[in-house]
Amino acid sequence: MGNKRDFLSLWDVTQAEFAALIRRAEELRFLRQVRTPHATRPGRVVALIFEKASTRTRVSFEVAVWELGGHAVVLGRNDSQLGRGEPIKDTARVMSRYCHAIMVRTFGHERVKELADYATVPVINGLTDLLHPCQVLADLQTVYAHYANHASKGPTASVPDVLSVLRGLRYAWVGDGNNMANTWIEAAGLLGLDLALACPAGYQPNPDVLETARRKGHGRIQVVLDPRQAVAGRHVVSTDVFASMGKEEEAEARKRAFVGYGVDRALMAAADGSAIFLHCLPAHRGEEVSDEVIEGPASQVWQEAENRLHSQKALLEWLLS
Ligand code: CP
Ligand code: NVA
């Protein structure tokens, strides 16, 4: 399939490429803030395929493509023949003849892999049951900008080094060992981060993702049961819903299994004094996060959601170059 690049997992980029994406995402954030047009990919058409619901991914990708000068074709669950069982490998080959890139959100990770195998254009994972790499890209842009503290200065030659800033911090995940937890594990492996995850028994992260990150990676990754142990002294505390899309029928059982795993003010008090709180959203207040934490001073969730736009523009520029 030529030398096209895909973004199915964080392992699809190198450390240097990841850092370059964050730097460019920050430049793009600044350009938009000062209303400087940046239509760097005119005439490019990107298909956005959704087999699951979405607010942020749907809107941020469509706006990103449009602001880069291109056009997005959005296909929801019932809009294409995929919903009636057309094979994904056939869809991949047909879409590649119309579009310059394909983003897909679906259930099994193997569906995204098959799409990428048969597509002749770059494929982006917009969330699977296993991974959500676009979200953790935006999350680490948020962490970088917050801790590098250059938000209002714009791009300058003296901006702090992305990898140095990110590696100087300690990260915690609390809750379900889901697609977001798995992607944080990939990030820790790829970038060499210190990450502690607290997940209840039976809801641990994917063992293959963990094994790969530990084998290939440079990070320090611990999985524990106790949220306080995971959060103690950490600079970044992240969580996500207890029942992800596709797990709705388990919601009541999960609420019982996750008692004690909500991020509330008492748990945040165990983190570093400067700690920030992240959540990919949508959030369930009173379950995985208390209202006072998500609305409180440590919360970076709205900037995090905004950064989906900037980081995906950086990603699209790179994949469409
Ligand atoms: N965080 C995230 O991916 O949100 P959506 O499900 O709304 O796209
Ligand atoms: N873990 C959540 C993330 C939503 C953006 C889910 O898969 O539903």
Side-chain angles (χ1 to χ4, degrees):
M1 305 297 160
N3 53 8
K4 71 158 177 132
R5 297 289 296 268
D6 298 310
F7 189 68
L8 310 189
S9 146
L10 292 184
W11 289 111
D12 287 335
V13 297
T14 63
Q15 282 186 358
E17 287 167 341
F18 190 94
L21 286 172
I22 301 279
R23 276 196 304 277
R24 180 61 180 154
E26 279 292 281
E27 283 172 7
L28 288 161
R29 181 167 73 89
F30 178 73
L31 291 176
R32 192 172 195 265
Q33 199 174 303
V34 298
R35 296 171 190 265
T36 301
H38 44 273
T40 58
R41 296 294 178 270
R44 305 301 171 92
V45 179
V46 180
L48 309 178
I49 301 174
F50 290 93
E51 297 191 305
K52 285 176 174 170
S54 173
T55 296
R56 280 143 289 268
T57 305
R58 160 78 168 77
V59 179
S60 60
F61 263 108
E62 185 167 350
V63 173
V65 173
W66 189 81
E67 291 186 0
L68 292 178
H71 177 75
V73 178
V74 184
L75 296 172
R77 277 169 289 188
N78 300 315
D79 295 334
S80 77
Q81 299 287 7
L82 275 173
R84 295 181 55 249
E86 181 166 14
I88 200 140
K89 61 185 180 183
D90 295 0
T91 305
R93 285 172 286 188
V94 173
M95 300 288 263
S96 295
R97 288 165 186 256
Y98 305 137
C99 304
H100 300 97
I102 304 168
M103 188 241 61
V104 62
R105 166 171 285 196
T106 189
F107 292 86
H109 194 69
E110 65 286 350
R111 276 178 80 70
V112 175
K113 279 187 164 164
E114 187 176 349
L115 185 76
D117 284 345
Y118 283 87
T120 53
V121 298
V123 173
I124 299 170
N125 176 2
L127 179 147
T128 62
D129 292 344
L130 186 69
L131 296 171
H132 195 4
C134 292
Q135 182 68 54
V136 175
L137 182 64
D139 291 3
L140 286 168
Q141 180 192 350
T142 311
V143 171
Y144 170 72
H146 180 81
Y147 281 103
N149 197 23
H150 70 284
S152 59
K153 296 182 200 145
T156 70
S158 63
V159 291
D161 176 65
V162 171
L163 294 176
S164 305
V165 170
L166 296 181
R167 286 182 187 140
L169 301 166
R170 298 172 73 230
Y171 301 78
W173 174 269
V174 180
D176 191 18
N178 63 11
N179 42 12
M180 281 297 301
N182 292 333
T183 313
W184 271 103
I185 289 169
E186 289 198 338
L190 176 73
L191 304 172
L193 309 181
D194 180 341
L195 171 68
L197 304 99
C199 310
Y203 298 96
Q204 305 269 307
N206 181 283
D208 296 333
V209 169
L210 199 51
E211 193 275 326
T212 302
R214 285 180 170 150
R215 178 172 42 82
K216 285 175 47 173
H218 319 275
R220 175 176 151 77
I221 306 167
Q222 311 164 59
V223 183
V224 299
L225 290 172
D226 179 8
R228 271 184 174 270
Q229 186 187 343
V231 163
R234 302 270 155 178
H235 302 97
V236 178
V237 178
S238 301
T239 190
D240 187 10
V241 290
F242 294 150
S244 286
M245 290 181 276
K247 303 281 186 200
E248 288 82 0
E249 74 289 351
E250 297 176 16
E252 286 309 312
R254 282 171 172 265
K255 267 187 209 167
R256 290 190 292 276
F258 285 88
V259 168
Y261 285 82
V263 179
D264 56 15
R265 195 162 60 170
L267 190 62
M268 284 301 290
D272 184 83
S274 73
I276 60 169
F277 171 76
L278 298 180
H279 190 312
C280 63
L281 305 175
H284 292 95
R285 289 165 169 80
E287 293 184 23
E288 77 277 4
V289 62
S290 67
D291 188 68
E292 62 182 353
V293 168
I294 198 168
E295 300 291 353
S299 175
Q300 285 285 315
V301 301
W302 315 118
Q303 188 61 51
E304 177 187 7
E306 180 189 314
N307 287 343
R308 293 291 302 277
L309 173 64
H310 311 304
S311 57
Q312 288 161 194
K313 274 184 192 164
L315 181 67
L316 286 163
E317 279 190 339
W318 175 61
L319 291 172
L320 293 170
S321 62

